[in-house]
Amino acid sequence: MSRANGTPYAPHTDDETAAMLAAIGVDDEEALFDIPEAVAFDGEFGIEPRTEREIRDECARIFGRNDDLTEFLGRGHYGHYVPSVVDHLADRAEFLTSYTQYQPEVSQGFLQALFEYQSMLVELTGLDVANCSMYDAATALGEAATLADRVRSTAGDTVLVPEQLREGKRAVLENYCAGADLTVETYPMADGTADVDALADRAGEDVVMLYAESPTVRGCIEERLAAIGDLADETDALFALGSDVVALSVLESPAAVGADVVVGEAGSLGLPTAYGMGLGIFACSDEFLRQVPGRLVGASEDADGARAYTLTLQTREQHIRKERATSNICTNQAWVALRAAIHAATLGPDGLVDLANDSVREAAALAERIDDLSGAAAPVHDRHHFREFAVRVDQPAEAIAADLEGEGFAVHAIDDHLLQVCVTDLNAGETDGLVAAFEEVL
Amino acid sequence: MSRANGTPYAPHTDDETAAMLAAIGVDDEEALFDIPEAVAFDGEFGIEPRTEREIRDECARIFGRNDDLTEFLGRGHYGHYVPSVVDHLADRAEFLTSYTQYQPEVSQGFLQALFEYQSMLVELTGLDVANCSMYDAATALGEAATLADRVRSTAGDTVLVPEQLREGKRAVLENYCAGADLTVETYPMADGTADVDALADRAGEDVVMLYAESPTVRGCIEERLAAIGDLADETDALFALGSDVVALSVLESPAAVGADVVVGEAGSLGLPTAYGMGLGIFACSDEFLRQVPGRLVGASEDADGARAYTLTLQTREQHIRKERATSNICTNQAWVALRAAIHAATLGPDGLVDLANDSVREAAALAERIDDLSGAAAPVHDRHHFREFAVRVDQPAEAIAADLEGEGFAVHAIDDHLLQVCVTDLNAGETDGLVAAFEEVL
Amino acid sequence: MIHDQANYEREGEDVREPLLSEKGQETVDVREDSPLPDDLTREELTLPNPSEPETARHYTRLSQMNWAIDAGPYPLGSCTMKYNPKFTEDVAADPNAAIHPDRSARSAQGNLELQYRLQEVLAEIGGMDAVTLQPPAGAAGELTGILVAKAYHEHHGNDRSEVVIPASAHGTNFATAATAGYDVVELPSGEDGRVDLEALEAAVGDDTAALMLTNPNTVGLFERDITEIAEVVHDAGGLLYYDGANLNALLGRGRPGDMGFDVMHYNVHKTFATPHGGGGPGAGPVGVVDELAPFLPTPRVREAAEGSGYERFEPAHTIGKVHGFAGNWLVSIKAYAYVARLGDEGLADAAAKAVLNANYLAERIDLDVPFGPFHHEFAATAGDRDAADVAKRMLDFGVHPPTTKWPEMVPEAMLTEPTEIEGQSSLDDLAEAFNLAYADTDEALDAAPNRTAAGRIDQVGAARNPRLSWQALDGE
Amino acid sequence: MIHDQANYEREGEDVREPLLSEKGQETVDVREDSPLPDDLTREELTLPNPSEPETARHYTRLSQMNWAIDAGPYPLGSCTMKYNPKFTEDVAADPNAAIHPDRSARSAQGNLELQYRLQEVLAEIGGMDAVTLQPPAGAAGELTGILVAKAYHEHHGNDRSEVVIPASAHGTNFATAATAGYDVVELPSGEDGRVDLEALEAAVGDDTAALMLTNPNTVGLFERDITEIAEVVHDAGGLLYYDGANLNALLGRGRPGDMGFDVMHYNVHKTFATPHGGGGPGAGPVGVVDELAPFLPTPRVREAAEGSGYERFEPAHTIGKVHGFAGNWLVSIKAYAYVARLGDEGLADAAAKAVLNANYLAERIDLDVPFGPFHHEFAATAGDRDAADVAKRMLDFGVHPPTTKWPEMVPEAMLTEPTEIEGQSSLDDLAEAFNLAYADTDEALDAAPNRTAAGRIDQVGAARNPRLSWQALDGE
Ligand SMILES: Cc1ncc(COP(=O)(O)O)c(C=O)c1O
Ligand SMILES: Cc1ncc(COP(=O)(O)O)c(C=O)c1O
């Protein structure tokens, strides 16, 4: 009972292969392929198979080529300490190696976990409905725009976003808007948050969606969200609010400031720093229930009358509604949502609020220390900050950032003389080093 | 619903604690302790609680103080590459966080896994019975001696072991023998294996157990096991053979050479290099079934007539037979046995035999290269070697070993001018470096 | 085989494992300790606060109430549920790979190198010239590809408004075309289950931006006329998009690039065995021919000047971005590790065994399979039985049923894709489950499943009275 | 609660998940490729050769057919089944700790430091002066401790032949004393379930090497006369051995050293929450007072001359070794991490909650508890029911039953130790399971369990006709 060379992940012994071919009535596997010769491939990819151990070594070598820097980076992607229990539970094969829950009777576990995730987001946003994930904050924003396009019967086609917005997020939004014939325009910022007066001038019938963020990309907590919401309301534009799952635990409830939709990032819970991999939040009010993109888990009953969970309202989705679906999304970030939910459960509301409060306190404290250095001023904006803040430097920002890298620290250079610095529980213990490095290079 | 400071692993909220105390009818937990004041402790241990993350950092720092050496160490503890799947499966909480299978109906999974482990050992040893683990090779040897004491009615009380035996193994054996009033004596070795002629002279009625190893502690494959077995037979001594789970896959079957008991190490499968942590093999012939130490899993039927597994022959064990038990062992190495079984399954007989053959080939090849160097001769013994071999050096062995350590390599210094070098799949890729280092320091 | 799924039930209360919220919540006064002024904060936050042992037990129990590929066969057609090699998890967990996406290229050479290497092997496997790893799933890859096609047409002054899609295509194809702003032209299936060339010629024209096709198609049939199809589309000035969901059947035997496809996505959570995770994360890298490379999302990764490693660059006419950062990075790592493990031989063998398995299983079941010769999957028909009911009954026999009622061209379809990872005995288990369920009484089918954690679930009720959070259950 | 355990069954064949051997074995011709001469090798080797997907599925299914602390309550009396914090696994998996035991001390400073630190905290917690980490389990710790006592006596020219052990003690105490070559003197329990001082005085004498005691004892009662007990034994020249299995009740409230114990083992897989692993690996470090320190196993670890780290040393009159190397190292690491996580407060709280839980649960059940006041565990009596049957029935209610029929001083004992990790609601679940089972009909008890993977198993038959390997099943 031996196996020919081939994929190590097929169990067929040579005898079994022979028996199976005989049962089908062909001589070899080739006979089962119906590929015309003209398009058949008989070349080689040139990929040498390697052993598991070789690949582990190879990848360890490759990743070892990343410099060992202490990162003070944020701007939409945040690392917090992920408790070990998150890995251990989420890695259970029944979660990790399952598919979408098309047969709910045999998938109650994952469905309940996603239902719980949705519920946590409902609490954090104050809105009625949260889906069980989008890819990331950027695509969630794009989906919000297409939802606005469907639900708002304003004459216009403008999606109004802050002038300061992460470049990548804006670029993704543009791609979702293009297909819906929407145009992305910006409103001015004043000191890191929306210039609400200028926004009031700009708002109008052409606006189908007004988007604001808190914290903003500069880490500033928006102070006049309710006023922004009112502006949206006045012209019947959808008010979409962008935020972050940790920030939401302490900031004004989106529902309270009139948000129709909340998008943003929830991967700051559950995921390690992952090169930008994320977990998109999408929550909205009941009103838009039939227009929500993505998957929804609902409660129902089984044949015995016991509570059971199932994917629901699937007629919104591409596999049923096809080109009239609310989104093309199919595979989403379910397992990441599971991780975020476990992380949130592990923290509890206490731990989550502590984490958020520390994000405010640590940023303020670090800004103050940097401000004390000559050649730097921080925070640049006279606002409350969450995790991160801008720093004005006398010398060119790029040069300072490069010098800091030489000292072992990574920060953002966001403009000619502007840096941005992000502090979380992961690097809070390294601020002395960063301040010293700043002193060195300024 | 909050929790007072205390263990993070108790779920009690303050309210629950209060409700539970009320149900019992006491005011506080103190009231439940019945410890006379004279012996009560009201001091402090002085152990600061730390967070999970702090402890991970602390231990990483501590372990970082181990030098980063490439180890060519063996002599009873061997590291092989453990496939990732072993960790992932053995770490499943249902295995890792379960207790001994006192309720077999709800423990079929672990019982079957142990039954399979026993079966693999039966195949590898050729003997009828294998238990589901001892602590390690040394304690297994000790248990073999006490079994010999129980089953052999020879007049004598001598346990005869090779003169060259790992010191730790001998020391453990002495401790088991002392209680049974057995005396450990040695027989001479000739060129790394038993001096069978001298042994023939020494053997006699006083010998209750004759112990031989293959491979020996010097890595030599014993060539006259059957002759040694015959010597044991002649005086009705128990013939105990020590070996290693990987070596057993290719070496003469212990049953074929007349072994009554096989002890040794199985942790060379399933465990990483673990500072000597092991998995003791204990196998024997049917004859001694009621005298086996440790746990045994047997097949039986359940109420529906389906095959089921259960711990069996428990009347041998301490919890039933108390001071007349076959051993005092209770908690053993079940989870390590599970790991070894998964590893063996992953390798299959092909992979296991390949690993063993490589252990012979790599050792021979490395010895040859070291032999080519001036100032060193290897292998010292004119024998076939398994994984490891002795090297004679002109200079003091301790000094050479220390110098090699300076070059980043660890080897054993086993005598004034003798080193020992062990090569497995883990370090086989580093032999160039070792040879170069030898050249440097010789 | 018979499988009883684990279940933890509270009888009187008619619930299984209670919700985390039912196990206890805590309300925190947010303002009490807040460094922020009251008008910026919420008053309170109410969430579950289980201790770690409770959390562990909760999710362990939930997991036991969930089917998975590691529990048994999961032959969902079009989904390619392969075994996910464990070591790829360890590779992806390397802390050195866990860096921020805004790292300078100089300080992120390791990640750039892995991205580059994966781009290269994917290009090779698909017969494409350039690859982006940014799209975070198959559908996102489709959108990327169609946006690239659109940008290409626009760049050449071509305003095309239609995307042609076979009726049997996956829903994401239609939805993607719409999301990109195209009108969808649905192509009826030919009688043999393949694209009908005449219908295609009729459908394609000046307005055709692209034809989206998967090959083998969704019933596993190779589009034999692919060369002619490509000609028709190309002649009309359109582009050919390859939906990579079925690439597993082609590995080492055919490359979309060689068949005339201009742009494709790879579905790495299918073909390259990265775990589906209960619905993601996946990854949908997109490959294109040279002419389309300048339109790919930014940034891409290339080798820098000799000896200086790797660098990011912006393609000349980039469509911008389709993900906020670099896509689902952890998934990319796992895909790389998988491809490296198999190599040329292993990849070709995966396709061979996948096709062998599908054909063997089809041979073993009593249901009809209307179309052929199929490759890695087949659509059996449940005939006058309800495919969904047959599927529910199959759950009692220790297997997951196939995809049901899709594609529509097969009545009561049971679209089955065992993949290469099932051996003969588990295929026999699957066949037995098919046959027992198919032959069972109407009553048995109605009452199924019986051995799963939950009995048959009222899905109509769930949609009619949506309760989507524990807040919505309150007071029930 | 009701719990259906997962089950994978092949009906006709009357087996659950087949054995690996039944899934397929391979026979390898060992000599074909061997670098060794034929007379040194076996001819062939026959073992299962599953592919990785099959292996993963096999063990995943087996695991699902196994109860565990992460699935639910596991209140085995005397076993201290705590939650095993997950992070300790990660700490133990540090590759830097994975070194060979024969490393020079200079190159193994990290491991030596952790060993030293763990020795120190254990000494502090037990009120002992010196600790060895070498014993690989509790029973091995007992043997170490008794051998140390023996060596001590011999060193002082005292040849003593007896070890005194209360009847209620754990079987390992008796077996250990015998293994060490002592005669066992069994001490009947006093009427209050504790040591009877008069009986002790009668039992102890010139031949007494040691008294082995656990405190609280095996029904959870604190030996209030411990000072007097120590006096009696010490006056006779004997030593006092503390069996650490029940230390969880004392943490921060009493230390064996302060009570007059001379030597003790710590059962870290109980008290310090390292996973039991289905029956090990555990660890049984031994602590002693100063006079006994020279007899501890070799090597021990101490701080070296100032600033030069840690070193190994051989105690002056060492008993030698009780494990081939340094014991179960990975377990030591986890224990260290656990103790560090809890600290003083957490350890004391663990004891408090463990005792609270036992008392609360006892209050909630309908069974009598003859002795008290108990601490972390209690022995209820099933009265005229068979404790083993009641236990089997409890399995149907989503909990693991307690230890049954031990200790013998309580008729039909159900020795119950919930530990601190159960909350009120799971204690209520446990109580309900107790009460439902206890009140159930004889028929129901006989027929139980019904919801586990296997029904009631014939244990007598297993022992009468031992089949201990798949080889033994062949031809059945
Ligand atoms: C044929 C086909 N195309 C596209 C997709 C969409 O891929 P994804 O789920 O990764 O977005 C699927 C997924 O099931 C598919 O089967
Ligand atoms: C009271 C008591 N003493 C000793 C032991 C033996 O400990 P171990 O199983 O770790 O060898 C136990 C284990 O159950 C016990 O409960």
Side-chain angles (χ1 to χ4, degrees), chain B residues 58 65 300 302 307 361, chain D residues 16 22 33 113 336 458:
Chain B
E58 172 185 328
R65 290 181 196 130
S300 185
D302 73 2
R307 190 201 296 155
R361 286 197 189 98
Chain D
R16 279 170 202 85
E22 291 165 335
D33 249 346
E113 179 172 344
Y336 178 79
D458 177 8

Side-chain angles (χ1 to χ4, degrees), chain C residues 34-50:
Chain C
S34 176
L36 295 172
D38 284 0
D39 62 345
L40 291 189
T41 55
R42 55 194 299 152
E43 250 175 81
E44 46 179 49
L45 181 72
T46 301
L47 282 173
N49 66 338

